[in-house]
Amino acid sequence: GVCKGVDLLNSARCAKRIIIVRMPEIFHTYFMLTRSEMSERNHNALTQPLVTVFMAVYNTGEYVKLAVDSILRQTYPHFELIIINDGSTDNSDVIISAYTDERIIYLKNEKNSGLVYTLNKGIDIAKGKYIARMDGDDIALPARLVKQKAILDEYPDIVVAASTITF
């Protein structure tokens, strides 16, 4: 079956083995998941981004510019950034709409539908082999994607790479 939303973290059927890799230079807990069991689509790395960064946003206007900028400054360039605004009532939409980077795909839920609904929506449209999870108030250091991708590429049995939280 297809792994969805919170099941990715709580269900043993979504992965044979989950190993958490600590990378303390990253500012929040981030997950990068392999897509192999999440979709039966053919992912051609030559024509599609290898990494999908998925950012769920709900009333994070104060932080969302820092969050988006931290992804756009990644040293690994072959990614798409899917941002889904989950019905924010603050200035999140204005800030996100100002970006013109072609790697950004910006979608809006008509109303606040909750994190699980929004995560599932993001997973359904993601094109990358890997999905990197991020919230609208998180900040990633520039080497986050390159380091997590390297771990997942080197160790195919690992399905989740994460970090510690630094405040």
Side-chain angles (χ1 to χ4, degrees), residues 101-119:
D101 192 296
E102 64 186 25
R103 296 171 293 181
I104 296 175
I105 299 165
Y106 180 42
L107 304 170
K108 302 177 212 177
N109 293 342
E110 290 183 26
K111 61 178 183 159
N112 180 255
S113 301
L115 185 58
V116 172
Y117 173 85
T118 303
L119 288 174

Side-chain angles (χ1 to χ4, degrees), residues 30-41:
Y30 300 105
F31 299 102
M32 185 180 283
L33 311 167
T34 61
R35 241 190 112 74
S36 60
E37 294 187 27
M38 287 190 268
S39 174
E40 296 182 18
R41 290 188 243 170

Side-chain angles (χ1 to χ4, degrees), residues 4-159:
K4 294 280 192 167
V6 222
D7 289 342
L8 291 171
L9 302 177
N10 297 323
S11 176
R13 68 187 161 90
C14 290
K16 295 177 189 169
R17 185 173 86 167
I18 296 176
I19 296 176
I20 303 300
V21 179
R22 293 182 183 274
M23 292 186 270
E25 67 277 14
I26 298 175
F27 285 76
H28 203 307
T29 301
Y30 300 105
F31 299 102
M32 185 180 283
L33 311 167
T34 61
R35 241 190 112 74
S36 60
E37 294 187 27
M38 287 190 268
S39 174
E40 296 182 18
R41 290 188 243 170
N42 180 15
H43 298 284
N44 182 341
L46 297 175
T47 60
Q48 295 185 16
L50 188 56
V51 175
T52 295
V53 179
F54 173 62
M55 184 182 297
V57 172
Y58 180 70
N59 289 340
T60 58
E62 184 178 349
Y63 309 102
V64 73
K65 183 172 180 3
L66 291 171
V68 173
D69 288 349
S70 77
I71 293 301
L72 295 178
R73 291 183 184 127
Q74 290 296 300
T75 57
Y76 182 78
H78 196 58
F79 66 87
E80 66 179 350
L81 172 56
I82 298 173
I83 303 171
I84 300 182
N85 187 336
D86 190 23
S88 293
T89 57
D90 67 356
N91 64 340
S92 296
D93 179 59
V94 172
I95 293 166
I96 298 164
S97 294
Y99 284 94
T100 58
D101 192 296
E102 64 186 25
R103 296 171 293 181
I104 296 175
I105 299 165
Y106 180 42
L107 304 170
K108 302 177 212 177
N109 293 342
E110 290 183 26
K111 61 178 183 159
N112 180 255
S113 301
L115 185 58
V116 172
Y117 173 85
T118 303
L119 288 174
N120 287 335
K121 186 174 178 179
I123 288 169
D124 287 344
I125 64 171
K127 295 177 185 168
K129 176 181 178 184
Y130 301 118
I131 296 176
R133 173 78 178 87
M134 179 124 167
D135 289 322
D137 59 355
D138 294 342
I139 298 171
L141 289 179
R144 174 201 172 182
L145 297 181
V146 75
K147 289 181 178 186
Q148 289 181 324
K149 180 189 167 301
I151 294 290
L152 294 172
D153 285 346
E154 186 173 350
Y155 302 99
D157 288 344
I158 294 177
V159 295

